[in-house]
Amino acid sequence: MSAEFQTVRAELVATVLHVAAQIGDPVDPSDMLVLLDSMKMEIPVMAESSGTVTEIFVVAGETVREGDALAIVSLAS
Amino acid sequence: MHVVRGHIEGRPAIGFCTDATRMGGAMGTVGCRRIAAAYQTAMAEKLPIIGLWHSGGARLAEGVQALDAVGLVFQAMIQASGKIPQISVVLGPAAGGAAYGPALTDVVIMAPAGRIFVTGPDVVRRVTGEDVDMDSLGGPDVHTRQSGVVHLLAENEDSAMERARQVTSLLTDQGVFELARVGPNPDLGALLPANRKRAYDVHPLVEGLLDPSSFCEFHRQWAPNVVTGLGRLASRTVGVIANNPLRLGGCLNSASAEKAARFVRMCDAFGIPLVVVVDVPGYLPGAGQETDGVVRRGAKLLHAFGEASVPRVTVVTRKAFGGAYIAMNARSLGANAVFAWPAAEVAVMGAGAAVEILHRKKLAAVAEEDRTALLAQLITEHEQESGGLMRAVEIGVVDEVIEPCSTRARIATALAGFPPARGAHGNIPL
């Protein structure tokens, strides 16, 4: 059921600076999951909804492209 | 088709509504003639016009006559464009002519049951074999996040109507700058992160700049790296365009430039002064953007600001770099006033990036442990040489360095000081 999960994606080409969330973490909207470095800026990628982090696909230092999945949050019902 | 005359916040307005209970609200010659007549009245009396839509489009049984009638409705809307505010509320499925009707107007508001598409799922399946439902063809998610057709998504039908009234009121009852009542000057600087490289959400800053609870954001989810919307500043309606560093680092890209351009032109057509809040690292680079038409679509924003005759004030909060510096209502594009906060950078690029390019060899020649110190020294030298913000003030591209805590009052005072004006052009849905 795709509606119960939210895939959090990179909006632009970037380097992963820091992975803030861990699998199993409960998250709320605006909680930072991953910190990206791009355009000489540090851009936090946040959860859009409340839920639990079930997957993290990236590690610090990795380069991500636009649209790459960073994490999956299973949504609180 | 029903046409009514009424009042919104005490001001007269015209409304029309397709009748979904009769032939799915299909647009026949009689109904279309009624809309055209309503437009004539609205134009003659300079009244806003609000359309409520739930319609399958042109009435099939009436053949080409119905197409002709729908075309006349379009023509009435186009002739009225930029002269009287046109608001659309899409309450149910709106297909074909009923999709392009709203699309030609200034602001499109969607209720949760609203769907907008050129052709419905049945026709799509018959003609191409594609199996797709109404929701994925033209539901709220499509039009608020991806297509940019819808300006505002409402939680329910009542709130869709309430939003229509709010937008109409902001456009028609613009008020005047009441400088004596500008009220508290929040310290907007406190909303910036301590780390200059850190992205943040610009919404609290925009809301702090405007009168409390007055901000009505357009296209919140589409091209979210630029924030656009109407609000009130010292009681008067203003339009705000702000980079949002939280999304794409606040870079301009093709979609956000187009979104902002259309908004600027709408405000200009209706005489709404503009406030431009700048924190932009540049245009988003890359092949994706080039093929997406960032040159053509980015040019729309340059054009929109350059032709705008409404008073418009820019404030650089943190940085304005490169081509995006120009596109965000720079002095050279005719900004009436350009302010900057004390720590703002106005440059071709950040000092660090500039030094890395200008002194690449020198930096590569030193031992790695000495590089950071050399970089810092070169940055200081570069800033002294290029002049930083003070140089921008000296050459007149920034008028004045202002304090974050006085920004609200300074912008209101500046805008109030310029003669009111209005662009003589339509509001083509860019």
Side-chain angles (χ1 to χ4, degrees):
Chain A
M1 293 294 283
S2 61
E4 292 169 2
F5 293 91
Q6 186 209 337
T7 305
V8 180
R9 297 179 186 279
E11 287 190 329
L12 75 177
V13 179
T15 306
V16 177
L17 210 56
H18 172 61
V19 178
Q22 292 186 332
I23 291 175
D25 280 358
V27 287
D28 286 318
S30 300
D31 281 355
M32 181 168 83
L33 302 174
V34 174
L35 186 63
L36 298 179
D37 182 322
S38 188
M39 295 301 293
K40 310 259 175 209
M41 290 184 66
E42 297 171 5
I43 306 168
V45 181
M46 298 161 171
E48 279 185 42
S49 325
S50 295
T52 308
V53 178
T54 52
E55 298 262 15
I56 291 173
F57 301 109
V58 292
V59 293
E62 192 177 326
T63 302
V64 292
R65 287 168 307 171
E66 177 189 342
D68 281 358
L70 304 175
I72 289 181
V73 175
S74 75
L75 304 184
S77 51
Chain B
M1 190 71 64
H2 304 282
V3 175
V4 294
R5 171 190 283 271
H7 289 84
I8 290 173
E9 310 277 342
R11 291 183 174 247
I14 304 280
F16 65 88
C17 179
T18 59
D19 184 353
T21 62
R22 298 178 61 180
M23 303 178 75
M27 300 165 78
T29 46
V30 177
C32 287
R33 228 177 277 145
R34 278 197 198 133
I35 301 182
Y39 263 87
Q40 263 182 359
T41 309
M43 283 286 276
E45 298 181 34
K46 296 191 165 48
L47 301 180
I49 186 161
I50 295 107
L52 310 183
W53 295 87
H54 178 168
S55 160
R59 194 171 284 186
L60 194 60
E62 288 184 26
V64 76
Q65 237 184 325
L67 289 180
D68 184 55
V70 169
L72 290 175
V73 170
F74 292 167
Q75 179 66 351
M77 292 170 157
I78 295 159
Q79 293 302 313
S81 181
K83 296 191 175 76
I84 53 169
Q86 304 178 60
I87 315 294
S88 300
V89 187
V90 181
L91 298 168
Y100 280 112
L104 283 167
T105 62
D106 301 308
V107 180
V108 182
I109 298 162
M110 191 185 240
R115 302 287 179 272
I116 303 174
F117 34 67
V118 175
T119 42
D122 291 345
V123 177
V124 171
R125 198 171 302 116
R126 222 164 27 238
V127 205
T128 68
E130 186 186 3
D131 192 20
V132 63
D133 61 15
M134 273 206 217
D135 211 29
S136 14
L137 257 186
D141 199 59
V142 171
H143 290 311
T144 56
R145 287 173 185 269
Q146 299 170 60
S147 75
V149 169
V150 168
H151 292 74
L152 283 163
L153 179 67
E155 280 170 23
N156 52 51
E157 253 184 44
D158 285 347
S159 104
M161 302 299 184
E162 177 50 39
R163 299 294 263 169
R165 284 193 288 271
Q166 184 193 7
V167 171
T168 307
S169 177
L170 282 162
L171 288 169
T172 55
D173 187 9
Q174 294 184 17
V176 292
F177 288 109
E178 296 181 31
L179 296 178
R181 286 172 51 194
V182 71
N185 261 309
D187 181 12
L188 301 172
L191 299 169
L192 295 187
N195 174 357
R196 291 185 60 84
K197 287 181 70 179
R198 193 58 172 265
Y200 60 95
D201 183 18
V202 81
H203 285 94
L205 206 156
V206 170
E207 282 154 16
L209 194 61
L210 295 169
D211 295 354
S213 314
S214 72
F215 187 48
C216 175
E217 185 173 359
F218 291 168
H219 289 130
R220 186 181 175 93
Q221 290 171 305
W222 178 57
N225 43 322
V226 72
V227 170
T228 56
L230 299 174
R232 292 191 187 268
L233 175 60
S235 302
R236 199 213 187 285
T237 301
V238 295
V240 180
I241 300 99
N243 306 116
N244 190 7
L246 189 60
R247 307 303 293 271
L248 296 180
C251 285
L252 282 177
N253 62 350
S254 52
S256 63
E258 195 170 65
K259 160 176 156 177
R262 182 174 177 189
F263 181 74
V264 167
R265 295 191 82 254
M266 183 195 78
C267 290
D268 190 48
F270 296 119
I272 298 169
L274 296 170
V275 179
V276 185
V277 183
V278 184
D279 184 355
V280 67
Y283 266 98
L284 187 67
Q289 279 301 303
E290 299 297 347
T291 50
D292 206 26
V294 69
V295 175
R296 177 176 55 82
R297 296 164 82 188
K300 294 180 188 187
L301 184 55
L302 294 170
H303 197 287
F305 273 127
E307 79 170 338
S309 45
V310 283
R312 44 195 164 102
V313 169
T314 300
V315 56
V316 183
T317 56
R318 204 160 68 159
K319 63 187 174 303
F321 291 161
Y325 149 80
I326 308 176
M328 290 304 288
N329 197 38
R331 160 58 30 81
S332 43
L333 292 184
N336 295 88
V338 182
F339 297 132
W341 286 1
E345 289 181 86
V346 178
V348 176
M349 62 180 77
V355 164
E356 279 173 28
I357 293 172
L358 292 168
H359 301 284
R360 190 182 311 154
K361 283 182 188 158
K362 201 188 263 184
L363 283 162
V366 298
E368 198 163 338
E369 59 267 29
D370 298 332
R371 205 164 288 153
T372 318
L374 177 64
L375 192 64
Q377 181 205 329
L378 289 171
I379 287 173
T380 313
E381 286 174 13
H382 176 80
E383 279 172 344
Q384 280 165 356
E385 213 171 293
S386 68
L389 184 56
M390 282 311 118
R391 178 78 183 137
V393 173
E394 210 174 280
I395 63 170
V397 299
V398 170
D399 293 304
E400 205 182 331
V401 176
I402 62 170
E403 290 302 324
C405 61
S406 65
T407 300
R408 193 176 128 80
R410 291 302 306 270
I411 291 177
T413 310
L415 284 174
F418 299 110
R422 182 171 174 174
H425 55 74
N427 178 25
I428 187 170
L430 288 180

